[in-house]
Amino acid sequence: MSTISENTDVTSPWKEPKGAKILNVNAHVHTPYSFSAFKNITEIFQLANEQDVKVLGINDFYSTDGYEEFSQRAGEFKIFPLFNIEFIGVNQKDKEKGLRLNDPGNPGRVYMSGKGLNYPPKLDEPYASQVNEIKQEVIKRVSQMLDKTNILLSEIGSDIKLCMDEIFEKYAVDLVRERHVAKALRIKVFEKFVSVQERTEFFKKLYDGQMPGADLESNVSVENEIRNMLFKAGKKAFVEEGAKAFLPIKLIKEIILNAGGIPTYPLLADDAKGDYTAFERDKEVLLKELKDRNVHSVEFIPNRNNLDLLKEYAMFFWKNGVLVTFGTEHNSPDMIPMKVETRGGVDLDDELKSLSYQGACVVAAHQYLKSKGQEGYVKENGERNGDSLQPFVEIGHEVITKFIQ
């Protein structure tokens, strides 16, 4: 196995070993342990296998409970597993400034991922209790939204009633989120009302006389509309998130590092209009800000982004020594391809496919080195281990190749 060295130029292209193949990677997929387009983890690996994805990263909110099953299926399908996690936190200083980071609707709020956590998962106290408290806060809020939804259903004379225990039993595993409530309601409505006309009348009543705009034969369209009409800010079943629902970003980074992972900033990048949040608008300023905050890894969900703009940002960060990964999330009812694409279903080009694989190799190397009691891509204090990505790419390539063969 290769060893870490300090003398590789970070901007030099990866010299692929003779006969090496650039593998398809999806480094960010949610499972039913948070919310997922998939019914179970096996279904995730089946689709990955069909689309020739050879490296797959679990990335659930607040939870590592799916790791064991994910690891088992990875072994069965010979698809290399990356063990990740995701949090939603807040940076108070950014909030006070009104600065929008990677949540365009909420100043100071930050999505933060951890890449390459320890497997089996291990989290010391008080961190384990703090993560569990956050999960309970999420469930408490969703339970209140469910209660408000039941009141609305009663007010329009419907005998449909939602039950938290039933949602856990049928649709959720470790965490219930508002998407689960929308799914449960859509299923009950579709079971009770078969025709489009009946469904139209029901939702018109539920939406205070407003005609539904969703395709009432589409699971995805209806669930998305239920969320928008009932659960968003200002709507009748909305419940505001309390202060306890968001940990400080500093603490989230400590939790990720304690769990053996790499603190990672999920970069929104360009939206459909080509706009960026204030925090992300200038990539050179963003690079400096992330390094000042001791964050040395970013990830993209390319189906949000224009291919050329994505490439501009992704290559810039990689060439400046920042780990870059790509994923699809699958954190909605939409069953999009498992193979990573950019906005409009445009495939990654060869350079981005190579970059995607190299990024996954760095995470794989980090996991491997940590499992051997060594320092990985980042040290326990979050600082970079060395000044080059390439030695980790080489180690990770060996680890992945041995696993899938």
Side-chain angles (χ1 to χ4, degrees):
M1 191 67 65
S2 302
T3 57
I4 298 297
S5 63
E6 302 278 345
N7 57 4
T8 306
D9 179 7
V10 72
T11 62
S12 64
W14 181 41
K15 299 297 190 292
E16 299 170 26
K18 187 176 181 181
K21 180 183 178 183
I22 299 298
L23 303 178
N24 291 320
V25 174
N26 188 334
H28 186 136
V29 175
H30 290 266
T31 80
Y33 283 83
S34 53
F35 183 88
S36 176
F38 300 98
K39 295 176 183 176
N40 52 57
I41 288 179
T42 299
E43 197 174 58
I44 296 173
F45 279 89
Q46 287 172 337
L47 185 59
N49 188 55
E50 289 171 10
Q51 298 185 10
D52 197 33
V53 173
K54 293 298 185 183
V55 183
L56 198 57
I58 185 172
N59 215 104
D60 286 321
F61 279 106
Y62 312 116
S63 180
T64 60
D65 290 350
Y67 280 18
E68 182 176 1
E69 185 180 357
F70 198 84
S71 177
Q72 290 173 351
R73 299 296 170 265
E76 292 169 9
F77 283 88
K78 295 296 181 185
I79 294 174
F80 189 87
L82 304 178
F83 298 105
N84 314 316
I85 195 169
E86 188 165 7
F87 296 88
I88 308 174
V90 66
N91 187 304
Q92 192 59 35
K93 289 183 179 179
D94 293 330
K95 184 176 181 180
E96 291 168 1
K97 294 177 185 176
L99 183 63
R100 288 171 169 80
L101 293 91
N102 58 10
D103 183 338
N106 295 282
R109 192 175 298 180
V110 189
Y111 287 77
M112 181 68 71
S113 287
K115 298 295 181 185
L117 274 63
N118 293 327
Y119 180 77
K122 181 180 182 298
L123 191 59
D124 297 329
E125 291 293 355
Y127 302 124
S129 293
Q130 289 167 331
V131 172
N132 188 58
E133 287 171 10
I134 289 293
K135 289 163 68 174
Q136 295 311 310
E137 280 294 317
V138 172
I139 293 171
K140 177 182 174 182
R141 173 178 177 259
V142 173
S143 180
Q144 292 171 343
M145 296 171 84
L146 184 148
D147 290 341
K148 285 192 170 188
T149 303
N150 280 332
I151 291 172
L152 293 175
L153 291 167
S154 177
E155 288 176 346
I156 64 171
S158 174
D159 60 359
I160 293 175
K161 187 172 182 179
L162 302 176
C163 172
M164 182 65 80
D165 289 342
E166 183 181 8
I167 290 175
F168 261 117
E169 180 183 350
K170 292 183 177 180
Y171 313 120
V173 181
D174 187 53
L175 190 69
V176 170
R177 307 187 71 215
E178 65 183 56
R179 287 189 183 276
H180 290 104
V181 181
K183 180 176 182 177
L185 178 56
R186 190 270 307 164
I187 289 172
K188 284 184 179 291
V189 172
F190 277 27
E191 287 174 347
K192 186 175 182 65
F193 303 111
V194 177
S195 74
V196 170
Q197 182 178 350
E198 290 176 309
R199 294 172 182 177
T200 299
E201 288 302 314
F202 173 84
F203 283 116
K204 183 180 177 182
K205 289 180 183 178
L206 188 62
Y207 299 157
D208 278 340
Q210 184 173 333
M211 288 290 289
D215 176 356
L216 295 180
E217 294 183 304
S218 164
N219 298 351
V220 172
S221 182
V222 171
E223 288 176 31
N224 287 337
E225 185 169 70
I226 289 171
R227 289 182 68 226
N228 291 332
M229 296 299 290
L230 299 185
F231 303 143
K232 295 302 181 182
K235 302 302 181 179
K236 286 191 172 181
F238 172 73
V239 175
E240 189 169 0
E241 293 146 316
K244 291 183 179 179
F246 302 105
L247 294 174
I249 289 302
K250 181 177 181 294
L251 179 55
I252 288 175
K253 289 193 292 182
E254 290 177 8
I255 291 170
I256 291 168
L257 290 167
N258 183 261
I262 304 165
T264 299
Y265 176 78
L267 217 155
L268 271 182
D270 62 291
D271 64 16
K273 296 179 181 178
D275 295 330
Y276 297 80
T277 64
F279 187 68
E280 297 183 2
R281 188 172 296 128
D282 187 320
K283 60 182 181 294
E284 294 187 3
V285 173
L286 176 59
L287 172 67
K288 182 181 184 304
E289 190 64 40
L290 290 176
K291 289 190 174 182
D292 287 346
R293 298 184 186 204
N294 205 21
V295 175
H296 308 282
S297 173
V298 299
E299 68 174 346
F300 295 87
I301 308 301
N303 55 44
R304 302 170 179 155
N305 307 124
N306 169 273
L307 173 63
D308 293 333
L309 295 177
L310 169 71
K311 187 170 183 177
E312 176 189 338
Y313 264 63
M315 298 303 291
F316 170 80
F317 280 94
W318 182 263
K319 289 178 179 179
N320 279 280
V322 177
L323 169 61
V324 176
T325 51
F326 301 116
T328 59
E329 285 192 320
H330 277 84
N331 186 34
S332 74
D334 305 78
M335 188 55 76
I336 60 176
M338 180 65 72
K339 206 169 178 180
V340 175
E341 298 175 334
T342 59
R343 188 186 299 129
V346 179
D347 200 7
L348 300 179
D349 66 17
D350 289 343
E351 282 186 286
L352 285 177
K353 286 178 182 177
S354 178
L355 176 56
S356 175
Y357 179 58
Q358 292 180 70
C361 287
V362 174
V363 180
H366 178 85
Q367 289 181 180
Y368 172 79
L369 292 167
K370 295 289 287 186
S371 74
K372 299 299 180 184
Q374 301 176 42
E375 289 183 331
Y377 170 68
V378 295
K379 302 176 183 178
E380 290 184 3
N381 64 0
E383 296 289 344
R384 281 284 307 274
N385 180 15
D387 58 2
S388 174
L389 291 159
Q390 297 309 318
F392 296 99
V393 173
E394 293 163 12
I395 292 173
H397 173 67
E398 291 184 45
V399 171
I400 292 170
T401 300
K402 288 184 178 180
F403 184 91
I404 66 175
Q405 289 179 350

